[in-house]
Amino acid sequence: MTADRSKELFERAVTCIPGGVNSPVRAYGAIGIAPRFIASTAGSHIYDVDGNAYIDYIDSWGPCILGHNDERIREAVVRASERGLSFGCATEIEVEMAEFICAHIPSIEMIRMVSSGTEAVMSAIRAARGYTGREKIIKFAGCYHGHSDAMLVSAGSGVMTSGVPDSAGVTPGCTKDTMTAVYNDLDSVKQLLEENPGQVAAVIVEPVGANMGVVLPADGFLPGLRRLCDEHQALLIFDEVITGFRLGFTGAQGLYGVTPDLTTYGKIIGAGMPVGAYGGRRDVMEMVAPVGPVYQAGTLSGNPIAMAAGLTQLQILQSDPAIYRKLSEMGDTLYGRMAAYVKDQQIPCQVTHIQSLGCLFFTEHPVTDYASAKTADTARYAAYFRHMLGSGIHLAPAQFEAMFLSAAHTESDLEATFKAFRGFFEKQ
Ligand SMILES: *Cc1c(COP(=O)(O)O)cnc(C)c1O
């Protein structure tokens, strides 16, 4: 397996793109080799510019749940593009998209399309602040909500009443109203709410943590957040950019039976096109311009090509429950076998999973929050990643990311993946 062409492209890229990549996680920074440049994809496979084929578990970070380059979505995009790429005016398909989501997701009474998950979260928070007239936000350490200034707060080691910027270029003023609680720890949320009476606009959470590896909500955590928000008249925002339309059509909120006030979407809702959305209670969404005083806009929002891709994917997912059954079964098979193997062999690793999302943590400690996730040995993960890549398995180049199964994965893909995984530990 050679990587000459990828190396050559990376050398060119670093001279003209910061770090050679347009998003940092692509840089293989934690891995110590040049990233693979991708030429094409199909189904469960991704092909690099040197002609290597890999079974892919990045899945473009989640959007391609039906598999890469699904023919039905591609056809919808081609047909839409024949009518024009962008109008900057209202279109029928935007109405269809909004009606479809409102019809099938009980918590969504109104929805607004944007162009990324970052934008969806930023806008939902603005709407929550506009609605409540309050300034503070509670987020959880280890949950990622895009790269808007107010969400880039450092995790700290426990409850933080005032966010410290986690990035250069973010001013303390931008993060001072962002407080950080501990995932799966309701007391940490209660404490922040009680210390800031009448000041918290919203609690935002990934209902299943999928950006610190995969961290499941403990029993009672999500209902507890709902209760605390109600007690303190704060809004509950579920960031379902990953989990939405993945953990079943109604996402984590359907799976856990907890109704947020607002929900943010991204990834699957665009099927690989740049799309995000935020929606929820009518009275909150009616705060948004031009109905209400909360300003939010976007030149390419509701873009007709992106809507064609996203709506086609959502319609397929909604009409065929067998897809989610298959994803769940495959997840139980692959991640279940991995978990059983590390247990049998007494390997100090944790396998977490829910349906199609899974993660192998190189730590002996059960992972329930950001602090326990951070006990993972990232150098071991890097070695594991290189072994898997060499075996034709394409994983996220960082420990704290999920593995994504798509409906296009096959039993033989899972078998090959498990064999490569086992091969890593047998070599040790
Ligand atoms: C990916 C992600 C975002 C950001 O979405 P972008 O489209 O990358 O801006 C926000 N929240 C969660 C939970 C995500 O996984």
Side-chain angles (χ1 to χ4, degrees), residues 123-371:
S123 309
I125 287 173
R126 190 179 302 148
R129 285 175 164 156
Y131 178 82
T132 57
R134 299 174 175 186
E135 294 181 1
K136 293 186 189 297
I137 299 291
I138 296 175
K139 78 177 284 289
F140 293 88
C143 285
Y144 179 66
H145 302 294
H147 68 92
S148 69
D149 285 352
M151 291 293 101
L152 288 183
V153 295
S154 70
S157 54
V159 181
M160 303 259 292
T161 51
S162 188
V164 179
D166 198 22
S167 162
V170 175
T171 61
C174 288
T175 55
K176 77 171 173 34
D177 291 322
T178 309
M179 306 189 286
T180 307
V182 178
Y183 197 80
N184 277 330
D185 180 351
L186 286 174
D187 283 341
S188 72
V189 183
K190 189 161 179 267
Q191 183 188 330
L192 289 173
L193 285 164
E194 285 173 357
E195 283 170 2
N196 298 273
Q199 296 175 64
V200 177
V203 175
I204 183 164
V205 66
E206 282 184 80
V208 170
N211 284 286
M212 47 177 158
V214 174
V215 178
L216 304 188
D219 276 351
F221 177 59
L222 298 173
L225 290 182
R226 180 66 277 176
R227 203 174 50 246
L228 284 171
C229 284
D230 289 343
E231 278 167 27
H232 293 266
Q233 287 93 48
L235 299 185
L236 179 60
I237 306 174
F238 275 7
D239 182 349
E240 297 229 45
V241 169
I242 283 184
T243 54
F245 313 109
R246 177 168 285 277
L247 303 180
F249 193 78
T250 52
Q253 54 193 268
L255 185 65
Y256 291 99
V258 175
T259 305
D261 300 294
L262 293 176
T263 302
T264 55
Y265 292 114
K267 301 192 171 118
I268 288 176
I269 204 172
M273 298 296 287
V275 181
Y278 66 106
R281 272 168 50 183
R282 182 177 300 278
D283 56 345
V284 182
M285 291 305 289
E286 283 185 338
M287 293 302 290
V288 176
V291 205
V294 173
Y295 193 69
Q296 185 271 309
T299 302
L300 297 179
S301 294
N303 170 273
I305 314 295
M307 293 301 99
L311 183 58
T312 303
Q313 172 148 281
L314 294 188
Q315 285 168 337
I316 294 167
L317 290 170
Q318 198 277 326
S319 65
D320 185 1
I323 295 171
Y324 290 111
R325 269 203 304 279
K326 181 185 172 193
L327 284 164
S328 263
E329 280 164 18
M330 288 193 303
D332 291 345
T333 301
L334 176 61
Y335 308 130
R337 280 182 87 184
M338 290 166 64
Y341 182 82
V342 297
K343 185 155 181 267
D344 270 13
Q345 304 291 313
Q346 299 180 331
I347 294 165
C349 280
Q350 311 294 321
V351 180
T352 55
H353 103 268
I354 179 164
Q355 301 186 17
S356 58
L357 295 172
C359 186
L360 170 66
F361 286 100
F362 285 86
T363 175
E364 61 189 318
H365 305 290
V367 178
T368 57
D369 60 12
Y370 190 55

